[in-house]
Each structure stands twice: as C-alpha cells, then as structure tokens.
Amino acid sequence: MLALLDAWLFAPFEYGFMRRAVVAGLALSLAAPPLGVFLMLRGMSLIGDAMAHAILPGVALGFLFAGFSLPIMSLGGILSGLLVAVLAGSVSQMTGHREDSAMASFFLISLAAGVMLVSLGGSSVDLTHVLFGSILAVDTTALVLIAGIASLIVIALAGIFRALVVECLDPLFLRGQGVRGGVVHGVFLGLVVLNLTAGFQTLGTLMAVGLMMLPATTARFWSQRLEGLIAIAIGIALAASTGGLLLSYHLSLPSGPSIILLAGVAYVLSALFGRQHSLAARWRRTARPLDTASSP
C-alpha cells in the first residue's frame, strides 16, 4: 500500500520538470483564488475571462519580437491588459456604456488581434502554446517570474484588502473616508492582469482564468464569510493544481486541461452537495418544514 502511494504521489516529483510545475501551480493557487473571490463578489466574474483574452495581443507582440522569451511576452501581456482595462473604463465613462459591455467588446477585438499576430509570426504549434500553455515546460526563469508576480499580488492584495472589501460592500462610505474607489478598482484590475500574465505560461491565455474563477465559485457553496471563501478557494486551487499534474503524469493527459477539469469536478460536486445554495441544501430546506409539519 505504501509503495503504491509512493509511486502515485511522490515518485513523479523526482523529476525536475514536475517539481517546477508543481511549484508554479502552487504559486498561482495562492494568488489567483482571492482575486476570483473579489471578482465574484463584485459581480465581475466574466471580466476575468475578458481580461485573460486582453493580454493576448501583447503576448503575441512579445513573441514576434523575441520568440519564446517569457519576460518579454509577460511584459507585453501586462501592457496590453492594462491598456484594454483603461480603454474599457474610458469608453464607459465617456459614453455611459456599461463597463462589462465595453470590456466584452475590447476582449473580442484583442482575441482576434492576438490570434492574427501569433499566426503571422509562427506555426500552429506556437499558437497552441500561447493559447493553452504548457506547465510541464516551465523552466527556472519562468518559475522565478511566476513566483515573483504571485508574491507581489499577495502583498498588494493584503495592502488594499480593507479598502477593497469596503468598496465591494459600500463604495459611498469609502468615498466618505477620502479614498477614491476608482483608484482601488484600478489597482485591483491591475492585479488581475498581473495574475493572468503569470498564468499564461502554465495554463495559456484561454485557461489561466480557470484557476482564478472555478475555485472561487466553488467556495461559494461551502461558506458565506469572506475569510472562509478565500481559504476554501485557495485549498481547492492547491488540490486541483497538484492533483491535475499527477493525473496528467500517470494517465498521459494534457496537464493544463487536467488541472482545470479537476477544479470543474469540484465545482459540480459542490453544486450538488455543498452546504450553501447547492441542490442538497435546497432539498434540506424544503424537507425541514415537512418534517416539522408531520411531527405531533
């Protein structure tokens, strides 16, 4: 039994590429879910997906100029994502157009432009790498960059945590305290862009948002407190990233989809059996009055 556990759980990490992959996954799992929780609480769940596509043109330009140079591609992705966020906010303020609608419009433009740029500069293999990532191909440079960005996100999020909570619940109170909600909102979107840029190397621009949003939405079925949501979301992301890597190793599956699908399985099971807002919770609420009515 112990030999089987060792073969399944520990033996894969004797390889350097697996160790680098799991460390990268753990770093992203600590930084991404708290951002997803706040996106969910602010009713901006789909904004994360839009921002994930917004970084694609910058990543593509970095690829055209420097090939698979992660620092250059990441810098391009950060600049592209921030530019799209600023443009969407500006269009929303100047025209009265809803910010999510403006973001969706720019996301479609960014996706098409990014795919076009990558296609012009390389083969379909290059496009697949950018869109879907390759966590098993993370090298030391990429690992240092991912860990550095994840650490920066955690520190910055801790610094604006109180203001971010208040801005979610009562923006007028925050304004009354002399803090501009737009600044907090802008910093928060910047952190989302940073996280997605760190994640594109491992999960690609199309699936990087999965490790951000799926654990956050899954946690909603288990807790109503902010601290509980964040802790549970991080735990689910850690389990999904590590478990997905093990599944991909033993079953010869793509690593990125394995991680996201494992998080998706957690979401489906939580929607069925979770403590809050799940089908089982609804059944318990409807069954309790019937039991009370039938008792003498």
Side-chain angles (χ1 to χ4, degrees), residues 82-112:
L82 292 176
L83 177 62
V84 169
V86 170
L87 289 175
S90 300
V91 169
S92 177
Q93 290 182 355
M94 291 186 296
T95 66
H97 204 206
R98 286 174 55 91
E99 185 178 13
D100 57 345
S101 300
M103 189 71 74
S105 301
F106 280 106
F107 126 68
L108 292 170
I109 297 170
S110 300
L111 178 61

Side-chain angles (χ1 to χ4, degrees), residues 28-160:
L28 291 174
S29 297
L30 292 174
L35 295 173
V37 168
F38 280 108
L39 283 172
M40 179 182 65
L41 294 178
R42 295 156 68 98
M44 299 172 61
S45 297
L46 293 179
I47 295 294
D49 187 56
M51 295 304 297
H53 296 83
I55 70 173
L56 184 56
V59 171
L61 284 175
F63 169 73
L64 290 178
F65 284 113
F68 283 114
S69 172
L70 184 61
I72 300 299
M73 294 170 71
S74 298
L75 178 61
I78 291 171
L79 295 176
S80 176
L82 292 176
L83 177 62
V84 169
V86 170
L87 289 175
S90 300
V91 169
S92 177
Q93 290 182 355
M94 291 186 296
T95 66
H97 204 206
R98 286 174 55 91
E99 185 178 13
D100 57 345
S101 300
M103 189 71 74
S105 301
F106 280 106
F107 126 68
L108 292 170
I109 297 170
S110 300
L111 178 61
V115 171
M116 181 67 71
L117 287 171
V118 176
S119 300
L120 290 175
S123 66
S124 60
V125 176
D126 302 326
L127 178 61
T128 301
H129 181 86
V130 172
L131 293 178
F132 300 104
S134 180
I135 191 170
L136 297 180
V138 171
D139 57 15
T140 302
T141 301
L143 184 59
V144 170
L145 184 62
I146 292 169
I149 292 178
S151 301
L152 177 62
I153 291 171
V154 171
I155 294 171
L157 195 59
I160 65 169

Side-chain angles (χ1 to χ4, degrees), residues 171-196:
L172 293 179
F173 176 80
L174 185 68
R175 190 179 306 168
Q177 299 299 310
V179 180
R180 296 181 59 184
V183 174
V184 177
H185 181 70
V187 171
F188 174 70
L189 286 182
L191 295 179
V192 172
V193 171
L194 280 175
N195 180 81
L196 294 172

Side-chain angles (χ1 to χ4, degrees), residues 162-228:
R162 290 180 179 273
L164 194 57
V165 172
V166 176
E167 201 256 342
C168 287
L169 301 177
D170 192 351
L172 293 179
F173 176 80
L174 185 68
R175 190 179 306 168
Q177 299 299 310
V179 180
R180 296 181 59 184
V183 174
V184 177
H185 181 70
V187 171
F188 174 70
L189 286 182
L191 295 179
V192 172
V193 171
L194 280 175
N195 180 81
L196 294 172
T197 304
F200 93 87
Q201 167 70 10
T202 57
L203 299 172
T205 58
L206 293 183
M207 289 191 296
V209 70
L211 203 60
M212 182 189 298
M213 293 311 308
L214 276 173
T217 54
T218 302
R220 190 67 182 86
F221 293 111
W222 297 100
S223 178
Q224 292 182 323
R225 296 180 58 85
L226 178 60
E227 299 86 349

